[in-house]
Amino acid sequence: MRSITRGAVVAAAVATVLAPAAAQASPGPDTTGLMGTFGFGRADVIGEAGLRSGVWSAYAVRSGFAGDDLIVSYPARTTPLASETVVYTAAFNEVADPQAECRKVGAAGVAQRAWVSFRCRTGFVPSYTLLVR
């Protein structure tokens, strides 16, 4: 009887110690936040591209007087993704200043913890691709 009681106590202690580690390992709920205000129509383009790339799980666009607000739901990140992920590409014929838009989205994602770092890669005929980690 004593060995059964001792085994139960040891099992309960191990479960108590390991339970917080298991809870930390499981991904938490998504965070939802404003990624920024962009030109009319651009928030939807960026939101759809981020959804396709898997960087966020959902997005919404709210139109206002100064442009469209992009609201996204994403898992908050404190460590970089395993590899760079392409979020979207902005071309000169789609937006007045694609480099500025790329930097704005990239910096907002870092501030919101949607990703840890970003870079804007320039392409041919002034286009900018947002890559995140």
Side-chain angles (χ1 to χ4, degrees):
M1 185 70 169
R2 237 181 208 191
S3 63
I4 293 173
T5 305
R6 189 178 306 155
V9 169
V10 169
V14 168
T16 302
V17 170
L18 294 180
Q24 279 185 338
S26 65
D30 281 355
T31 300
T32 300
L34 176 67
M35 192 60 71
T37 301
F38 305 96
F40 294 105
R42 292 302 300 161
D44 192 46
V45 169
I46 297 165
E48 182 62 33
L51 188 63
R52 277 194 317 267
S53 70
V55 174
W56 43 73
S57 58
Y59 77 96
V61 175
R62 182 178 57 211
S63 292
F65 295 109
D68 292 338
D69 293 337
L70 175 60
I71 300 134
V72 297
S73 295
Y74 55 90
R77 302 194 195 302
T78 55
T79 58
L81 297 167
S83 62
E84 274 189 325
T85 301
V86 173
V87 178
Y88 83 109
T89 298
F92 76 98
N93 62 346
E94 297 171 340
V95 62
D97 189 349
Q99 182 180 24
E101 183 184 85
C102 183
R103 288 181 178 164
K104 181 178 178 181
V105 175
V110 170
Q112 295 289 332
R113 292 187 12 199
W115 44 77
V116 175
S117 64
F118 76 96
R119 72 182 173 104
C120 293
R121 180 180 64 201
T122 186
F124 119 73
V125 191
S127 66
Y128 287 86
T129 301
L130 175 63
L131 297 112
V132 301
R133 289 209 68 186

